[in-house]
């Protein structure tokens, strides 16, 4: 799940950078990219990927 979130954040970061949108400091392309890297690191670490089904 976090891998998908990371991919979406990277895509949003790319769009902000490619379109040269002027956003405030919180939603700059660098900050969105860093959020994507954080989500990717959590995904690689195994957090947020396991779903247990109990019957």
């Amino acid at each position: 799940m976090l891998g998908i979130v990371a991919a979406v954040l990277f895509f949003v970061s790319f769009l902000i950078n490619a379109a040269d949108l002027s956003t405030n400091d919180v939603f700059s392309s660098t900050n969105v990219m860093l959020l994507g890297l954080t989500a990717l690191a959590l995904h690689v670490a195994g957090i947020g990927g396991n779903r247990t089904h109990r019957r």
Side-chain angles (χ1 to χ4, degrees):
M1 184 69 179
L2 286 174
I4 295 170
V5 171
V8 169
L9 287 173
F10 285 139
F11 183 69
V12 168
S13 174
F14 170 75
L15 287 179
I16 290 172
N17 192 19
D20 199 26
L21 295 175
S22 60
T23 59
N24 58 7
D25 290 335
V26 176
F27 293 111
S28 68
S29 64
T30 304
N31 287 343
V32 175
M33 181 185 61
L34 289 174
L35 288 173
L37 285 173
T38 303
L40 186 63
L42 290 173
H43 174 72
V44 170
I47 298 172
N50 295 335
R51 291 186 182 178
T52 59
H53 298 287
R54 294 186 180 180
R55 292 185 181 184

